[in-house]
Amino acid sequence: MKRLKLFMLVRMIVLGLITGVLVGCASSTPPSYEYLLVDSSSDEVNVIATAPMQIQMMPVEVANYLSGNEIVLVSKTGGVHRSQSHLWAEALAPQLTRLTQQRLEKTLNNISWYSRQRLPSYAIAQLNIEVDRFYADLQGGVNITGRWQLISAEGKILNTQVFDVTDYLRSDGYSALTQTLASNWINQIVEPMAKQIAEALNTP
C-alpha cells in the first residue's frame, strides 16, 4: 500500500511538471524583430553648392497612426494592420528626422543644420516636413506622401512642395519593406528636396 501511495505521489508530481512546461510553452510570446531605416546610398552623395547659411531642421511630423513602434500595413479599403513581432527599433518620426538631416548635411554641406536641441541665439531659416503615409499595402505597394516647407529667417516661404511616392516590393519580408521605404525616402524625397532647397537659396 505504501509503495502504491508513493508511486501515485511521484506520478502526480511528474504530471504537474509536464503540465507546467506545456502551459509555459503555450503562453510564451513569439520573438520580436526590430528594424531601423538605413541610408544605404550614403557613399554616393552629390554635393550641391550653396551660399553659407543656417537652417533649423524641425522634427519630422508623422500622422498619429504611424507614431507607434509597430510597422504598419494598410489595405486598399483603409484597414490598418500593425505587426506585433516586427517593430521599429525607434519611433518613426525621430528616425526620419535623423535620416533626413544626415543626408542634407552631406548634400548641402555649406549649410549649418541645427536641430531643436542646438539652436543659435538668432533667427534662422526653418525646414518643416509632414508625413501622411509611410507604409506598404497588402498588395506589396509602398506609399509615402506628405509635404515640406522652407521658411526664411524673416518668415517668408521660400519653397513648399508636396511629395507622393509609390513603389513596389521586389521581395517578401519586413526587411525588404523597411529597406524599400528607406531608399524611396532618400532617393525620391530627400534628394529632390535638397536640389529644390539649393535652388531657392541660390535664387537672387
Side-chain angles (χ1 to χ4, degrees):
M1 180 65 75
K2 289 183 178 180
R3 286 185 177 180
L4 179 60
K5 288 183 178 181
L6 181 61
F7 173 77
M8 293 296 292
L9 180 61
V10 171
R11 186 181 178 204
M12 289 175 64
I13 293 173
V14 171
L15 286 174
L17 289 174
I18 293 174
T19 301
V21 170
L22 291 175
V23 170
C25 290
S27 62
S28 63
T29 57
S32 63
Y33 303 89
E34 296 186 347
Y35 304 85
L36 283 171
L37 296 169
V38 176
D39 182 359
S40 59
S41 60
S42 59
D43 295 332
E44 306 168 4
V45 175
N46 295 317
V47 176
I48 304 174
T50 64
M53 70 172 303
Q54 298 80 34
I55 298 179
Q56 178 185 1
M57 171 77 193
M58 296 299 292
V60 174
E61 295 185 11
V62 301
N64 286 339
Y65 73 96
L66 296 170
S67 62
N69 279 65
E70 303 93 348
I71 294 179
V72 171
L73 301 175
V74 179
S75 71
K76 292 294 187 182
T77 58
V80 177
H81 304 263
R82 303 179 187 274
S83 173
Q84 299 301 311
S85 55
H86 295 272
L87 308 170
W88 293 119
E90 180 184 15
L92 188 57
Q95 283 196 76
L96 289 174
T97 302
R98 184 171 59 252
L99 198 67
T100 303
Q101 182 164 342
Q102 288 173 348
R103 174 51 72 99
L104 291 176
E105 286 174 339
K106 291 182 177 180
T107 305
L108 303 174
N109 59 9
N110 282 339
I111 296 175
S112 298
W113 293 93
Y114 293 89
S115 64
R116 177 175 287 177
Q117 291 75 25
R118 48 186 183 92
L119 289 179
S121 58
Y122 49 87
I124 61 174
Q126 181 174 295
L127 176 64
N128 301 307
I129 304 174
E130 298 177 358
V131 176
D132 300 324
R133 298 178 183 175
F134 195 87
Y135 59 72
D137 57 43
L138 300 184
Q139 288 71 42
V142 172
N143 304 270
I144 306 176
T145 66
R147 65 203 57 81
W148 63 266
Q149 186 178 71
L150 180 66
I151 304 173
S152 72
E154 296 75 31
K156 177 184 176 182
I157 296 178
L158 300 178
N159 200 336
T160 181
Q161 298 288 335
V162 173
F163 51 86
D164 187 347
V165 175
T166 58
D167 196 4
Y168 64 93
L169 298 176
R170 291 156 183 80
S171 59
D172 296 332
Y174 281 89
S175 179
L177 167 59
T178 58
Q179 291 171 21
T180 303
L181 285 168
S183 64
N184 275 278
W185 178 260
I186 289 295
N187 298 323
Q188 303 301 322
I189 297 169
V190 180
E191 279 295 288
M193 182 193 305
K195 294 177 182 177
Q196 291 160 342
I197 289 173
E199 290 174 2
L201 298 180
N202 290 334
T203 300

